[in-house]
Amino acid sequence: MTAKLLILDDDHDILLMLKTIFTGEEYELLLESDSEGALKRVIADRPNVAIMDISLPQKSGIEVLKEAKKIDPGLAVIMATGYKTTQNAIEAMKHGAFDYVTKPFDMNKLKGAVKKALECNLLSRKVRYTKERAQVEEDLTEDLMIGSSPEMIEIWKMVGTVADSDATVLIQGESGTGKELLARAIYNNSRRKNRPFLAVNCAALPEALLESELFGHEKGAFTDAHTRRIGKFEQCNGGTIFLDEIGEMSPANQGKFLRVLENQEFERVGGNETIKVDVRVIAATNRSLLAAVKEKSFRMDLFYRLRVVNFFLPPLRDRTEDIPLLVDLFVKKFAKKYGKNVKGVAPDTMALLMNHQFEGNIRELKNVINSAVVFCRGDILVSGDFESFLTAKAGFKEVDLDVVGDDYYEVFWSMLEPVFDGICQKNKGSIYESVNMGLEKALIHMAMEKSNNNQVFAAKLLGISRNTLRDRLERYRIGTGDPA
């Protein structure tokens, strides 16, 4: 499909000149001399790139830029001006311009800017950060990396630049900002996209298990090593491996991993055979690796070897203009999942969401929308659907048993998801046991409180025998007071 280039300038001589310059460049040219005509073109024709003059008679180019970005956040806009003022450049970039050029045009630079803007636009459409319904609804079962704020535009530009290289990538950002989704966006736009992509959370496994998971082991290498195991690096040969929470990797595993980065070779645990692989590494962390280097818990040589290409994902509170886009996506996703006719969010509720800090970032927002859709009774989400999630109060709103039924999966998912990374780091290799014990302990204690410490009533409430209850009371040291 031919790329569409919109040119807006009230000077007909400039329009004619640009038409001459870009004719034959395989663009479909859309020429407009007034702002309203240009905005209609954005709605009707969905151009990929636009060149807009800042000084226009009806509306300023900045105003047209803002309105155009509301219509199509993915439109790559190059602002042009004859007035070389810093403020114009700041305003243009602040409101989402892709680039800023001055008159008289350097035609080679302008052509280069249009080409880069087109690459960014095509990439962004590929990873689906626009509002177009057809794109969003292609596969709502996938988690998508979206965002059209200036910060995210810069990230997409970087993705387009580095995706096809084999350079090692380090992604830094707070928990919940979408580091794995960015890694997948890099992978999906690389020449390795038809090869494996495997993700490993370095914080979720103890040192020995992580070593075996990454590098594999030979039969008899340790207790329970009954057969040879092929590790993730071998499984991922020719593809891309994503190592999340790389800062949690032990010094011993860091040394072995560094060798893979430098020579693309390693030995399985308990083995002598050198395995050669071709794997691209994308690593992520929510902590400062530089601070870890200073604390001597992370190797300096590994830090610099990882940081060939460095991405920083901003927290959601620093790109609030992306919240409506994310909300729209998550509402569609969960409405489809639960078979509900939820169409959107009330304006005052959207304002509430825009003003919330979302310390858990996109993961928290997704969780909030998920829960709100579960409990929503109408076709529009209102503030009451979010009340208990967007206040500092602990706990959940009263559960509508008709909605939830007998499966409390969504309730427990909502409780666990915001703290799951922390649980993984604190209880490496024993998450199942720790969470189950915590849940059982809470249930026993709550039943005792509800029964005024009457064991007969508490056992009946829980549906367990009195002997089982006594065993749990003793195990968790729950008496008439608080549990130990």
Side-chain angles (χ1 to χ4, degrees):
M1 189 169 68
T2 306
K4 296 177 182 179
L5 172 61
L6 169 66
I7 302 175
L8 169 62
D9 200 303
D10 63 324
D11 188 326
H12 288 273
D13 290 335
I14 289 180
L15 278 181
L16 184 60
M17 177 185 68
L18 293 178
K19 178 182 179 181
T20 304
I21 292 296
F22 286 104
T23 295
E25 292 285 333
E26 298 185 354
Y27 298 114
E28 179 184 338
L29 298 179
L30 310 173
L31 306 179
E32 292 292 338
S33 58
D34 70 274
S35 55
E36 292 304 324
L39 290 171
K40 287 177 182 176
R41 286 281 200 177
V42 174
I43 294 170
D45 296 300
R46 292 285 167 155
N48 301 88
V49 181
I51 302 172
M52 296 183 181
D53 188 30
I54 281 185
S55 299
L56 297 168
Q58 293 102 357
K59 293 181 178 178
S60 73
I62 298 294
E63 289 177 302
V64 179
L65 166 67
K66 289 193 283 187
E67 291 187 35
K69 295 292 280 184
K70 285 180 183 177
I71 298 166
D72 180 5
L75 175 64
V77 180
I78 298 169
M79 299 302 296
T81 181
Y83 304 98
K84 300 177 182 180
T85 66
T86 303
Q87 191 57 40
N88 272 345
I90 292 172
E91 284 295 306
M93 302 310 285
K94 186 168 73 174
H95 292 294
F98 177 85
D99 210 341
Y100 178 86
V101 296
T102 56
K103 300 175 182 178
F105 296 123
D106 178 323
M107 291 307 170
N108 287 329
K109 285 184 179 180
L110 183 60
K111 283 184 178 181
V114 170
K115 183 178 179 181
K116 287 180 180 178
L118 177 60
E119 288 173 357
C120 179
N121 173 267
L122 294 176
L123 173 63
S124 67
R125 289 186 177 185
K126 192 172 184 180
V127 294
R128 299 176 221 145
Y129 76 77
T130 69
K131 280 187 177 178
E132 293 179 43
R133 179 176 295 270
Q135 289 175 316
V136 171
E137 291 184 349
E138 280 177 12
D139 189 353
L140 290 171
T141 62
E142 289 184 20
D143 279 335
L144 307 175
M145 185 69 193
I146 61 176
S148 58
S149 60
E151 295 87 350
M152 292 308 296
I153 290 293
E154 289 304 311
I155 285 173
W156 297 134
K157 288 162 70 175
M158 275 186 68
V159 169
T161 303
V162 308
D164 261 343
S165 75
D166 286 329
T168 304
V169 175
L170 177 63
I171 303 172
Q172 301 182 78
E174 294 179 8
S175 181
T177 48
K179 296 186 288 294
E180 182 173 346
L181 297 181
L182 177 57
R184 288 183 181 276
I186 295 168
Y187 160 75
N188 286 332
N189 291 281
S190 74
R191 57 172 172 258
R192 295 175 181 258
K193 64 184 176 183
N194 295 319
R195 304 292 293 170
F197 177 94
L198 296 177
V200 179
N201 188 326
C202 299
L205 297 169
E207 178 181 350
L209 286 180
L210 179 61
E211 183 182 17
S212 175
E213 182 77 6
L214 293 177
F215 308 111
H217 63 253
E218 297 291 351
K219 180 179 179 180
F222 51 82
T223 306
D224 295 331
H226 302 303
T227 59
R228 170 187 280 181
R229 175 187 172 88
I230 302 301
K232 288 291 192 287
F233 277 108
E234 278 185 85
Q235 295 174 37
C236 207
N237 193 18
T240 303
I241 192 167
F242 173 64
L243 300 177
D244 199 8
E245 303 308 339
I246 191 71
E248 304 301 320
M249 186 179 282
S250 71
N253 282 336
Q254 288 175 35
K256 198 164 182 177
F257 173 45
L258 179 61
R259 184 182 171 200
V260 179
L261 282 182
E262 290 179 336
N263 304 316
Q264 294 278 294
E265 62 182 36
F266 60 92
E267 286 85 35
R268 300 188 191 102
V269 179
N272 297 315
E273 179 190 358
T274 298
I275 312 295
K276 296 285 290 184
V277 291
D278 172 23
V279 176
R280 184 186 194 176
V281 173
I282 303 176
T285 180
N286 63 10
R287 58 181 290 202
S288 169
L289 288 188
L290 195 55
V293 168
K294 291 177 181 177
E295 294 165 3
K296 301 191 183 304
S297 62
F298 200 83
R299 296 179 60 132
M300 181 182 291
D301 49 0
L302 178 56
F303 170 66
Y304 287 113
R305 186 66 183 79
L306 278 174
R307 205 180 61 168
V308 177
V309 176
N310 189 31
F311 284 87
F312 176 76
L313 270 177
L316 190 55
R317 61 183 171 274
D318 289 346
R319 52 182 185 105
T320 54
E321 57 264 65
D322 285 336
I323 289 177
L325 195 57
L326 289 159
V327 168
D328 182 62
L329 174 67
F330 292 146
V331 167
K332 289 184 175 74
K333 178 186 178 79
F334 294 117
K336 182 177 181 180
K337 179 178 179 180
Y338 301 123
K340 291 198 164 189
N341 189 33
V342 181
K343 298 174 182 176
V345 179
D348 61 330
T349 306
M350 183 64 79
L352 185 69
L353 292 168
M354 293 281 285
N355 290 324
H356 188 67
Q357 285 298 299
F358 288 109
E359 294 179 6
N361 294 295
I362 297 171
R363 184 182 292 125
E364 181 186 354
L365 175 62
K366 178 183 175 183
N367 178 58
V368 165
I369 301 298
N370 186 358
S371 301
V373 171
V374 167
F375 295 120
C376 180
R377 294 190 174 191
D379 59 359
I380 295 292
L381 296 178
V382 296
S383 57
D385 296 316
F386 295 91
E387 185 178 354
S388 60
F389 300 96
L390 297 182
T391 63
K393 296 177 182 178
F396 292 81
K397 63 192 291 184
E398 185 179 347
V399 176
D400 185 336
L401 297 179
D402 292 331
V403 173
V404 175
D406 296 326
D407 184 358
Y408 295 96
Y409 165 82
E410 292 299 335
V411 175
F412 291 126
W413 179 281
S414 300
M415 292 163 59
L416 281 171
E417 189 176 30
V419 296
F420 192 70
D421 285 349
I423 293 173
C424 288
Q425 292 179 30
K426 188 176 180 182
N427 301 279
K428 292 180 181 178
S430 63
I431 298 170
Y432 182 83
E433 182 182 359
S434 300
V435 172
N436 271 305
M437 284 179 62
L439 177 58
E440 185 177 50
K441 184 175 179 180
L443 277 171
I444 297 293
H445 186 224
M446 196 172 294
M448 287 294 288
E449 281 197 345
K450 293 290 183 184
S451 305
N452 293 317
N453 296 310
N454 185 307
Q455 292 184 16
V456 175
F457 290 161
K460 287 182 178 179
L461 179 65
L462 291 165
I464 61 177
S465 70
R466 192 173 176 186
N467 285 338
T468 301
L469 176 62
R470 284 174 177 165
D471 174 72
R472 299 302 188 272
L473 291 172
E474 183 178 344
R475 180 184 302 178
Y476 299 126
R477 291 186 287 170
I478 299 173
T480 54
D482 290 334

